[in-house]
Structures are given as structure tokens and as C-alpha cells.
Amino acid sequence: MNAQIGMDINERARRALTRVPPSIRVTDEMVADVADALRGAIRAAYQNAAVIAASRTHAGDSLEDSRARQAEAQELARTYEKLANESR
């Protein structure tokens, strides 16, 4: 995963945990767990987008147009899968 994105996720996790009552000490492990949950949610969203892109149908288009759109959808699905893998 891109280092900048990783830092952003950790910072978002740290900010999310500022809402925890002051009586509870926020540890680095808690921040890591929240950041991991955020990465998991991002990965799941990319995987879902890949499935949606790959399952598109183009009824009513000519065969040539349909094939072109299907190729675009497959490329988009591959891009989403790559992003999902990078977010691990």
C-alpha cells in the first residue's frame, strides 16, 4: 500500500479514537486495530466494486459495442482488484 495512504489511515484511526473517554488509555495497539479495520473496509469496497464492474451487461448494444464495454469493465475490475490487493 502507498505509504501516504497508510499514514492517512493511521491518522484517521487515531482521530477516531479521540472520541474514546479520557479515562480509557488509547494504546498504539488500539490504533493499529482500528487502522486494520479501516484497511479491511477499503479492501472490501474495492473487491465489491470489482465484482460489480465485472458483472455488467450491456443489453441492446451492438455486439462490437458490447465487447468494447465488456473489455472496459474487465479492465476496471482488474484495477479495483489491484487496489484491493495493495490495501492489504
Side-chain angles (χ1 to χ4, degrees):
M1 179 191 304
N2 181 315
Q4 181 63 38
I5 292 171
M7 286 191 300
D8 290 344
I9 289 174
N10 286 339
E11 181 58 31
R12 286 177 186 264
R14 200 171 295 286
R15 278 191 225 149
L17 290 170
T18 61
R19 293 186 175 93
V20 172
S23 60
I24 299 173
R25 185 174 172 273
V26 175
T27 64
D28 288 340
E29 291 82 16
M30 290 171 70
V31 172
D33 287 345
V34 172
D36 187 49
L38 289 171
R39 279 190 288 278
I42 291 167
R43 184 172 50 254
Y46 280 136
Q47 288 171 334
N48 187 45
V51 168
I52 291 169
S55 66
R56 284 183 171 172
T57 59
H58 303 284
D61 289 342
S62 70
L63 183 58
E64 185 178 305
D65 288 343
S66 182
R67 285 183 179 162
R69 290 179 189 264
Q70 184 62 29
E72 290 172 3
Q74 290 299 324
E75 182 60 32
L76 184 60
R78 281 191 290 278
T79 301
Y80 285 136
E81 279 297 326
K82 179 181 174 192
L83 290 168
N85 290 333
E86 289 176 357
S87 67
R88 290 180 190 256

